[in-house]
Amino acid sequence: MSLLRQYPDIFRLFDDTARIPQQLSRRGAFSPSFDVHETDQAYVLEGELPGLHDKSNISIEFTDPQTLLVRGRTERLHQESPDDDDSTVAKDTKSEGDEKRPRYWVSERTVGEFQRSFSFPSYVDVDAVKASLAHGILKIVVPKKQSQIAKRIEIS
């Protein structure tokens, strides 16, 4: 007998658990998903930031020589589509003169403040880090640095 037939509601538990980050996003904070992989020359981080086009909303900085902090903010733009009409879009119309804004029936997209921190296991070249944002993917390449060279100090 399959697990689905034996425990039909078990998969609802996974769905409810998956919604927790979305519930947190309504409070104004979330943690974007990142893939991190290592090559011989660098660490590569690729994070999902869908809908984020303004690079000024992202900050990337080193908090110490081996810890990278990525933070920023995403916002939902309230724009009416020319294809929308009153029969397909619910709208709040508080009073004349107030801007018409859509009334959401379901709001699952993540918006608000985000922050991720990454610590590297070896020395990195903080001066050669490159970052790009394309199609909602933030890509950060953090080159590895040769281990600190031991230097012997002569006693005079």
Side-chain angles (χ1 to χ4, degrees), residues 103-139:
R103 181 178 63 208
Y104 286 89
W105 294 338
V106 177
S107 179
E108 295 180 343
R109 292 177 24 210
T110 52
V111 294
E113 305 277 330
F114 63 86
Q115 179 172 316
R116 289 294 303 268
S117 178
F118 302 94
S119 295
F120 302 101
S122 63
Y123 296 108
V124 294
D125 187 354
V126 298
D127 296 323
V129 174
K130 303 265 189 237
S132 62
L133 179 66
H135 306 291
I137 303 295
L138 175 64
K139 182 177 183 178

Short mmCIF file of all heavy atoms in Angstrom, two decimals, residues 103-139:
data_model
loop_
_atom_site.label_atom_id
_atom_site.label_comp_id
_atom_site.label_asym_id
_atom_site.label_seq_id
_atom_site.Cartn_x
_atom_site.Cartn_y
_atom_site.Cartn_z
N ARG A 103 -7.34 44.70 -4.60
CA ARG A 103 -7.56 43.96 -3.36
C ARG A 103 -7.16 42.53 -3.66
O ARG A 103 -7.79 41.86 -4.48
CB ARG A 103 -9.02 44.04 -2.94
CG ARG A 103 -9.29 43.30 -1.64
CD ARG A 103 -10.73 43.43 -1.22
NE ARG A 103 -11.58 42.81 -2.24
CZ ARG A 103 -12.83 43.15 -2.51
NH1 ARG A 103 -13.39 44.13 -1.85
NH2 ARG A 103 -13.52 42.53 -3.43
N TYR A 104 -6.12 42.06 -3.01
CA TYR A 104 -5.59 40.73 -3.30
C TYR A 104 -6.47 39.66 -2.69
O TYR A 104 -6.86 39.76 -1.53
CB TYR A 104 -4.14 40.59 -2.78
CG TYR A 104 -3.16 41.35 -3.62
CD1 TYR A 104 -2.86 42.67 -3.35
CD2 TYR A 104 -2.56 40.74 -4.72
CE1 TYR A 104 -1.98 43.37 -4.13
CE2 TYR A 104 -1.68 41.43 -5.50
CZ TYR A 104 -1.39 42.74 -5.21
OH TYR A 104 -0.51 43.44 -6.00
N TRP A 105 -6.75 38.64 -3.45
CA TRP A 105 -7.49 37.47 -2.96
C TRP A 105 -6.51 36.46 -2.40
O TRP A 105 -6.81 35.77 -1.45
CB TRP A 105 -8.33 36.86 -4.05
CG TRP A 105 -9.43 37.78 -4.52
CD1 TRP A 105 -9.97 38.82 -3.82
CD2 TRP A 105 -10.10 37.74 -5.75
NE1 TRP A 105 -10.94 39.43 -4.55
CE2 TRP A 105 -11.05 38.78 -5.76
CE3 TRP A 105 -10.01 36.94 -6.87
CZ2 TRP A 105 -11.89 39.02 -6.81
CZ3 TRP A 105 -10.85 37.18 -7.93
CH2 TRP A 105 -11.77 38.22 -7.90
N VAL A 106 -5.34 36.36 -3.00
CA VAL A 106 -4.26 35.49 -2.52
C VAL A 106 -2.97 36.28 -2.69
O VAL A 106 -2.75 36.89 -3.73
CB VAL A 106 -4.17 34.18 -3.34
CG1 VAL A 106 -3.00 33.34 -2.88
CG2 VAL A 106 -5.47 33.40 -3.26
N SER A 107 -2.12 36.28 -1.68
CA SER A 107 -0.84 36.98 -1.76
C SER A 107 0.25 36.03 -1.29
O SER A 107 0.45 35.83 -0.09
CB SER A 107 -0.88 38.23 -0.88
OG SER A 107 0.36 38.89 -0.95
N GLU A 108 0.94 35.40 -2.23
CA GLU A 108 1.95 34.40 -1.91
C GLU A 108 3.37 34.84 -2.27
O GLU A 108 4.32 34.19 -1.88
CB GLU A 108 1.65 33.08 -2.62
CG GLU A 108 0.37 32.43 -2.15
CD GLU A 108 0.07 31.13 -2.85
OE1 GLU A 108 0.66 30.85 -3.91
OE2 GLU A 108 -0.76 30.38 -2.33
N ARG A 109 3.51 35.91 -3.02
CA ARG A 109 4.85 36.36 -3.41
C ARG A 109 5.56 36.97 -2.22
O ARG A 109 4.94 37.59 -1.36
CB ARG A 109 4.74 37.38 -4.54
CG ARG A 109 4.24 36.73 -5.81
CD ARG A 109 4.05 37.68 -6.96
NE ARG A 109 4.84 38.88 -6.89
CZ ARG A 109 4.44 40.03 -7.42
NH1 ARG A 109 3.28 40.13 -8.01
NH2 ARG A 109 5.20 41.10 -7.34
N THR A 110 6.86 36.78 -2.18
CA THR A 110 7.65 37.31 -1.07
C THR A 110 8.06 38.74 -1.36
O THR A 110 8.59 39.05 -2.42
CB THR A 110 8.89 36.45 -0.83
OG1 THR A 110 9.59 36.28 -2.05
CG2 THR A 110 8.52 35.10 -0.28
N VAL A 111 7.78 39.61 -0.41
CA VAL A 111 8.17 41.01 -0.50
C VAL A 111 8.67 41.46 0.87
O VAL A 111 8.34 40.86 1.88
CB VAL A 111 7.00 41.93 -0.96
CG1 VAL A 111 6.58 41.62 -2.37
CG2 VAL A 111 5.82 41.81 -0.01
N GLY A 112 9.46 42.50 0.88
CA GLY A 112 9.95 43.05 2.13
C GLY A 112 11.47 42.99 2.20
O GLY A 112 12.16 42.88 1.20
N GLU A 113 11.97 43.05 3.41
CA GLU A 113 13.41 43.02 3.67
C GLU A 113 13.93 41.59 3.58
O GLU A 113 13.23 40.65 3.97
CB GLU A 113 13.70 43.55 5.08
CG GLU A 113 13.13 44.93 5.35
CD GLU A 113 14.01 46.04 4.85
OE1 GLU A 113 15.24 45.85 4.82
OE2 GLU A 113 13.47 47.11 4.51
N PHE A 114 15.15 41.43 3.08
CA PHE A 114 15.78 40.11 3.09
C PHE A 114 17.23 40.26 3.49
O PHE A 114 17.82 41.33 3.37
CB PHE A 114 15.66 39.41 1.72
CG PHE A 114 16.36 40.09 0.60
CD1 PHE A 114 17.71 39.87 0.35
CD2 PHE A 114 15.67 40.96 -0.23
CE1 PHE A 114 18.35 40.49 -0.71
CE2 PHE A 114 16.30 41.59 -1.29
CZ PHE A 114 17.65 41.36 -1.52
N GLN A 115 17.78 39.15 4.00
CA GLN A 115 19.17 39.14 4.42
C GLN A 115 19.67 37.71 4.44
O GLN A 115 18.99 36.81 4.91
CB GLN A 115 19.28 39.76 5.82
CG GLN A 115 20.69 39.77 6.36
CD GLN A 115 20.79 40.55 7.64
OE1 GLN A 115 20.23 41.63 7.76
NE2 GLN A 115 21.50 40.00 8.62
N ARG A 116 20.86 37.49 3.90
CA ARG A 116 21.54 36.20 3.95
C ARG A 116 23.00 36.44 4.24
O ARG A 116 23.59 37.41 3.77
CB ARG A 116 21.43 35.46 2.60
CG ARG A 116 20.07 34.91 2.24
CD ARG A 116 19.59 33.79 3.16
NE ARG A 116 20.47 32.64 3.25
CZ ARG A 116 20.40 31.57 2.48
NH1 ARG A 116 19.48 31.47 1.55
NH2 ARG A 116 21.25 30.58 2.66
N SER A 117 23.59 35.55 5.02
CA SER A 117 24.99 35.64 5.37
C SER A 117 25.68 34.35 4.96
O SER A 117 25.12 33.26 5.14
CB SER A 117 25.11 35.84 6.89
OG SER A 117 26.45 35.88 7.27
N PHE A 118 26.88 34.47 4.39
CA PHE A 118 27.63 33.31 3.92
C PHE A 118 29.05 33.38 4.47
O PHE A 118 29.72 34.39 4.31
CB PHE A 118 27.68 33.26 2.38
CG PHE A 118 26.33 33.23 1.76
CD1 PHE A 118 25.70 34.39 1.36
CD2 PHE A 118 25.68 32.01 1.57
CE1 PHE A 118 24.44 34.36 0.78
CE2 PHE A 118 24.41 31.98 1.00
CZ PHE A 118 23.80 33.15 0.61
N SER A 119 29.49 32.31 5.12
CA SER A 119 30.86 32.23 5.64
C SER A 119 31.64 31.24 4.79
O SER A 119 31.15 30.14 4.51
CB SER A 119 30.85 31.77 7.09
OG SER A 119 30.23 32.74 7.89
N PHE A 120 32.85 31.62 4.40
CA PHE A 120 33.67 30.79 3.53
C PHE A 120 34.72 30.05 4.35
O PHE A 120 35.30 30.62 5.27
CB PHE A 120 34.31 31.65 2.44
CG PHE A 120 33.30 32.38 1.62
CD1 PHE A 120 33.03 33.73 1.85
CD2 PHE A 120 32.57 31.72 0.65
CE1 PHE A 120 32.07 34.39 1.11
CE2 PHE A 120 31.60 32.38 -0.10
CZ PHE A 120 31.36 33.72 0.13
N PRO A 121 34.99 28.79 4.00
CA PRO A 121 35.92 27.98 4.79
C PRO A 121 37.39 28.29 4.53
O PRO A 121 38.25 27.80 5.26
CB PRO A 121 35.58 26.56 4.37
CG PRO A 121 35.04 26.70 2.99
CD PRO A 121 34.33 28.02 2.96
N SER A 122 37.66 29.06 3.50
CA SER A 122 39.06 29.40 3.20
C SER A 122 39.16 30.89 2.90
O SER A 122 38.16 31.59 2.81
CB SER A 122 39.57 28.56 2.02
OG SER A 122 38.84 28.87 0.86
N TYR A 123 40.37 31.36 2.71
CA TYR A 123 40.59 32.78 2.44
C TYR A 123 39.98 33.16 1.08
O TYR A 123 40.04 32.39 0.12
CB TYR A 123 42.08 33.10 2.42
CG TYR A 123 42.75 32.88 3.75
CD1 TYR A 123 43.61 31.81 3.94
CD2 TYR A 123 42.51 33.75 4.81
CE1 TYR A 123 44.22 31.60 5.16
CE2 TYR A 123 43.11 33.55 6.04
CZ TYR A 123 43.96 32.47 6.22
OH TYR A 123 44.55 32.27 7.42
N VAL A 124 39.37 34.36 1.03
CA VAL A 124 38.78 34.85 -0.22
C VAL A 124 39.38 36.21 -0.54
O VAL A 124 39.85 36.93 0.35
CB VAL A 124 37.25 34.94 -0.13
CG1 VAL A 124 36.64 33.56 0.01
CG2 VAL A 124 36.80 35.84 0.99
N ASP A 125 39.36 36.55 -1.81
CA ASP A 125 39.89 37.82 -2.29
C ASP A 125 38.74 38.84 -2.31
O ASP A 125 38.02 38.95 -3.30
CB ASP A 125 40.50 37.64 -3.67
CG ASP A 125 41.23 38.87 -4.16
OD1 ASP A 125 41.17 39.92 -3.48
OD2 ASP A 125 41.85 38.78 -5.24
N VAL A 126 38.57 39.57 -1.23
CA VAL A 126 37.44 40.49 -1.11
C VAL A 126 37.49 41.62 -2.14
O VAL A 126 36.45 42.20 -2.47
CB VAL A 126 37.31 41.06 0.32
CG1 VAL A 126 37.05 39.96 1.33
CG2 VAL A 126 38.53 41.86 0.71
N ASP A 127 38.66 41.93 -2.65
CA ASP A 127 38.79 43.02 -3.62
C ASP A 127 38.43 42.61 -5.04
O ASP A 127 38.27 43.46 -5.91
CB ASP A 127 40.22 43.57 -3.59
CG ASP A 127 40.57 44.20 -2.25
OD1 ASP A 127 39.67 44.84 -1.66
OD2 ASP A 127 41.71 44.03 -1.79
N ALA A 128 38.31 41.31 -5.30
CA ALA A 128 38.04 40.84 -6.66
C ALA A 128 36.64 40.24 -6.83
O ALA A 128 36.35 39.62 -7.83
CB ALA A 128 39.09 39.81 -7.06
N VAL A 129 35.75 40.45 -5.86
CA VAL A 129 34.39 39.90 -5.93
C VAL A 129 33.61 40.60 -7.04
O VAL A 129 33.69 41.82 -7.20
CB VAL A 129 33.68 40.06 -4.57
CG1 VAL A 129 32.22 39.63 -4.67
CG2 VAL A 129 34.40 39.27 -3.51
N LYS A 130 32.86 39.82 -7.81
CA LYS A 130 32.02 40.36 -8.89
C LYS A 130 30.58 39.94 -8.63
O LYS A 130 30.31 38.82 -8.20
CB LYS A 130 32.45 39.79 -10.24
CG LYS A 130 33.90 40.06 -10.58
CD LYS A 130 34.02 41.29 -11.42
CE LYS A 130 35.44 41.41 -11.93
NZ LYS A 130 36.06 42.63 -11.56
N ALA A 131 29.63 40.85 -8.90
CA ALA A 131 28.21 40.55 -8.73
C ALA A 131 27.45 41.04 -9.94
O ALA A 131 27.77 42.07 -10.53
CB ALA A 131 27.69 41.21 -7.47
N SER A 132 26.40 40.28 -10.31
CA SER A 132 25.53 40.68 -11.41
C SER A 132 24.10 40.28 -11.09
O SER A 132 23.86 39.36 -10.31
CB SER A 132 25.99 40.03 -12.72
OG SER A 132 25.91 38.63 -12.63
N LEU A 133 23.15 40.99 -11.69
CA LEU A 133 21.73 40.70 -11.51
C LEU A 133 21.09 40.62 -12.88
O LEU A 133 21.11 41.60 -13.63
CB LEU A 133 21.06 41.80 -10.67
CG LEU A 133 19.57 41.67 -10.41
CD1 LEU A 133 19.29 40.45 -9.54
CD2 LEU A 133 19.04 42.93 -9.74
N ALA A 134 20.57 39.44 -13.22
CA ALA A 134 19.92 39.27 -14.52
C ALA A 134 18.78 38.27 -14.38
O ALA A 134 18.95 37.20 -13.81
CB ALA A 134 20.93 38.77 -15.55
N HIS A 135 17.62 38.65 -14.89
CA HIS A 135 16.44 37.79 -14.92
C HIS A 135 16.07 37.28 -13.52
O HIS A 135 15.68 36.14 -13.34
CB HIS A 135 16.64 36.60 -15.87
CG HIS A 135 17.03 37.02 -17.24
ND1 HIS A 135 16.17 37.67 -18.10
CD2 HIS A 135 18.20 36.90 -17.90
CE1 HIS A 135 16.79 37.93 -19.23
NE2 HIS A 135 18.03 37.49 -19.14
N GLY A 136 16.22 38.14 -12.51
CA GLY A 136 15.84 37.78 -11.15
C GLY A 136 16.84 36.89 -10.42
O GLY A 136 16.55 36.41 -9.33
N ILE A 137 18.02 36.69 -10.99
CA ILE A 137 19.06 35.88 -10.35
C ILE A 137 20.24 36.78 -10.01
O ILE A 137 20.83 37.41 -10.89
CB ILE A 137 19.54 34.72 -11.25
CG1 ILE A 137 18.37 33.82 -11.65
CG2 ILE A 137 20.65 33.93 -10.56
CD1 ILE A 137 17.72 33.07 -10.50
N LEU A 138 20.57 36.84 -8.73
CA LEU A 138 21.75 37.57 -8.27
C LEU A 138 22.90 36.57 -8.25
O LEU A 138 22.83 35.55 -7.57
CB LEU A 138 21.52 38.13 -6.87
CG LEU A 138 22.72 38.81 -6.21
CD1 LEU A 138 23.14 40.05 -7.00
CD2 LEU A 138 22.42 39.15 -4.77
N LYS A 139 23.95 36.86 -9.02
CA LYS A 139 25.11 35.97 -9.09
C LYS A 139 26.31 36.70 -8.50
O LYS A 139 26.64 37.82 -8.92
CB LYS A 139 25.41 35.56 -10.53
CG LYS A 139 26.58 34.60 -10.65
CD LYS A 139 26.78 34.16 -12.09
CE LYS A 139 27.90 33.14 -12.21
NZ LYS A 139 28.07 32.68 -13.59
#
